[in-house]
Each structure stands twice: as structure tokens, then as C-alpha cells.
Amino acid sequence: MQMLLSLLDATIRLSTPLLLACLAGMYSERSGVFDIGLEGKMLAAAFAAGAIAAVTGSAWLGLLAALAVSIMTALLQGAAAISLKGNQLIAGVAINMLAAGLTTFLGQQWFRQGGRTPQLSGDGRFGTINLPFAQEAAGVPIIGPIYSELISGHYILVYVAFLAVPITAYVLYRTRFGLRLRAVGENPKAVDTAGISVVKLRYQAVLITGLLCGFAGAYFSIAQGSGFGNNMTAGKGFIALAALIFAKWKPVPAMFTCLLFGFLDALQIRLQGASFGGIEIPVQAIQALPYVLTVVLLAGFIGKAVGPKAGGVPYTKER
């Protein structure tokens, strides 16, 4: 029971940035903006959070910096893809390359630690939150350990991520904004004909994407980690994009898909150093397990996934 709870607890922690990035991509892609730049926005936000938290000693200021940098990065990508009507795929790749190079360069210039930020401690990073009566409930069979160890004791950004799921579902399917957002991703010409600005809606979606990527990036460096490290997002943005496709652009399936990928990641950590039949499996093979299974799941179990019809296509208003 304790081993299972430990594995599930790690699953929740590891799936949090995936979930935030997946929901971020959902907003932009639902509006018709294909976003392969999730990785770059998270990486830029992680560096901003780690750097500002190291200088000020405040995790909250680090979080604000992460949100600001991620939103600015998203607006830069939005300007290229929406206003300038550039290729959305290339714009996303450019953001990824810019973030990877710039964070390493600035980290080296500012802190002289090989691109890393100083180690964070105390108020410089978020601590875990113990929910009410968690300690008292720990002795209750089954329910107690689940509440005290699995539900309680996480960082505040974990609760933000899972709270964002019902909020996203409500916004997309129960609000006028969500209806228009989904419509502009399917038929922007019809939305434009109704007198609604396609450009404005897409920029609003890009802003929300930047906000959620900011939370995801901050989680890496000032919650789960204790400072920024080179390429610390390690391809999580691409896994989040795969999870978004696997979930067919729906919030609740996206949550369960991210939990699945988080479980695979937690499992590979525990399998490192394991041996089967007296043969020790190389660590690199175990570490590649989540990525290999991501490809297998997408190739063999997803079936046909049809995204928003206007996704990836710049909109040009007809005169």
C-alpha cells in the first residue's frame, strides 16, 4: 500500500507540468493556432522564475516573473503566427530554439554557474501544503493515507493545475467565449462574418496559453526543483503536445492522459537499476521508456484524431 501511494504521489507531481502545458496548448489550438512552442515557453518561464527567485529570495516574485516572460514569449509567437501570418510550425520551433539558447547564455552571463541559477532554499521556492486534518486522518484505514499522503502535501501549483481542468471545461463548453473560441478554430470565416474579431480571439487564446505555460515553467524551477538547470524541461512540452492529441483536444481526457504519462515517468525512475533474468537493464533504456511508450500509444491506440479544421492556417480576411 505504501509503495503504491508513493508511486501515485510521484505520478501526480510529475504529471503537473504536463497537464498545465497540455491545457495551454488546448486553448491556442482550439483557436486555430498550432502551438509547437510549448517547450520554449516553459523553459523561458522556468529560467525567469529561478533567476528572480534567486535574486530576490521570493518564490512569489519568481512566479510573477515566469508568468510575465511566458506571456511575452507567447505574444512574440502570436505576432509571428497571427499578425504577420507566418508559418505557425516554424514560429513554434523558433521560440523553442530561442528559449534554449537564451536561457543558457543569460544563466552563464548572470550567475557564472554553467547556465544554472543558484540553489534555492527557504522562501525562494514553494513548499508543500498540508491540507486541514491531514495528520489526524492519517490513521484512518485506506481513506486516511489517501487523503494525507496522496491528496495533501503537494505544492500550490499542483492544485492550480488540477483546478484548471474543470475551469477549462467550463470555459470551453459553457461560456460565450469558449463557443467563439471553438468556432474560430473550426471556421474563422463564419466567425468573422458574424462581426467577431478572429485576430482578437486568437490573441486571447495565446495569452491564456502563455499564462498556463508560465505556471508550468515555474513549477520546474521553484517548486519541484530548487533552481533552474539547462534544458530542465527535457522535452515535456512535446509530450504535453502528444497528450493533447491523444486526448483529442478535450480537458478531462487530457488530465487522464497526462496522469498516464506521469505514471510512466514515475515508473521509469523506480525501474532504474533493475535487472531481469540476471541482466541489468541500461539506465538509458529505462529513461527512454516514457518517450517510447508515448510514440507507441499515439501510433497504436489513439485511432484517428482530427484537430480543429483551421489549425495551423493563418487567417486572411477577405475584402
Side-chain angles (χ1 to χ4, degrees):
M1 181 68 176
Q2 189 61 38
M3 290 180 61
L4 178 61
L5 284 175
S6 177
L7 182 61
L8 293 178
D9 182 69
T11 297
I12 292 173
R13 287 187 284 105
L14 292 171
S15 65
T16 294
L18 293 178
L19 180 56
L20 286 166
C22 187
L23 294 176
M26 188 176 300
Y27 279 98
S28 61
E29 296 204 9
R30 281 287 192 174
S31 73
V33 179
F34 183 74
D35 195 351
I36 202 172
L38 298 173
E39 178 83 1
K41 288 189 279 288
M42 284 198 298
L43 190 60
F47 174 76
I52 297 301
V55 172
T56 63
S58 171
W60 289 104
L61 290 178
L63 176 61
L64 290 176
L67 297 178
V69 167
S70 182
I71 288 173
M72 287 190 294
T73 308
L75 286 176
L76 177 63
Q77 183 179 351
I82 301 171
S83 297
L84 300 178
K85 299 177 176 55
N87 185 292
Q88 296 177 5
L89 181 64
I90 294 176
V93 171
I95 290 297
N96 292 337
M97 295 175 65
L98 177 66
L102 196 58
T103 54
T104 301
F105 173 76
L106 292 178
Q108 176 62 29
Q109 293 298 312
W110 291 352
F111 302 107
R112 303 294 179 180
Q113 296 184 15
R116 299 181 60 87
T117 61
Q119 200 80 357
L120 299 176
S121 60
D123 293 335
R125 57 179 300 203
F126 288 113
T128 55
I129 298 175
N130 290 320
L131 298 179
F133 309 111
Q135 292 183 347
E136 291 81 357
V140 179
I142 302 177
I143 298 177
I146 291 176
Y147 177 71
S148 62
E149 297 184 32
L150 194 59
I151 299 177
S152 178
H154 292 289
Y155 305 106
I156 187 171
L157 296 179
V158 174
Y159 300 109
V160 169
F162 285 91
L163 183 61
V165 175
I167 292 176
T168 298
Y170 177 80
V171 168
L172 288 180
Y173 298 107
R174 293 290 186 270
T175 66
R176 181 180 299 177
F177 169 75
L179 175 63
R180 291 175 174 177
L181 191 70
R182 289 183 288 121
V184 80
E186 295 292 337
N187 194 338
K189 188 180 295 185
V191 173
D192 193 17
T193 304
I196 301 169
S197 174
V198 173
V199 171
K200 182 180 178 181
L201 275 171
R202 288 187 170 178
Y203 266 110
Q204 288 173 339
V206 165
L207 282 173
I208 298 174
T209 298
L211 182 70
L212 291 172
C213 282
F215 282 119
Y219 180 82
F220 280 107
S221 58
I222 59 174
Q224 185 183 41
S226 57
F228 176 81
N230 287 328
N231 195 32
M232 71 182 311
T233 51
K236 294 296 190 297
F238 300 108
I239 293 183
L241 188 61
L244 180 60
I245 298 171
F246 188 86
K248 299 183 179 179
W249 295 270
K250 296 179 181 178
V252 175
M255 180 186 70
F256 287 112
T257 304
C258 290
L259 284 171
L260 172 62
F261 290 158
F263 175 79
L264 295 175
D265 203 5
L267 188 62
Q268 66 90 8
I269 293 174
R270 281 157 176 75
L271 287 177
Q272 290 183 18
S275 60
F276 293 92
I279 301 175
E280 185 174 342
I281 301 176
V283 174
Q284 294 80 0
I286 297 295
Q287 290 175 337
L289 182 63
Y291 304 96
V292 172
L293 290 179
T294 297
V295 175
V296 171
L297 288 172
L298 285 175
F301 296 96
I302 186 176
K304 187 177 181 181
V306 180
K309 294 179 181 178
V313 181
Y315 178 67
T316 303
K317 186 173 182 178
E318 296 182 356
R319 299 184 180 276

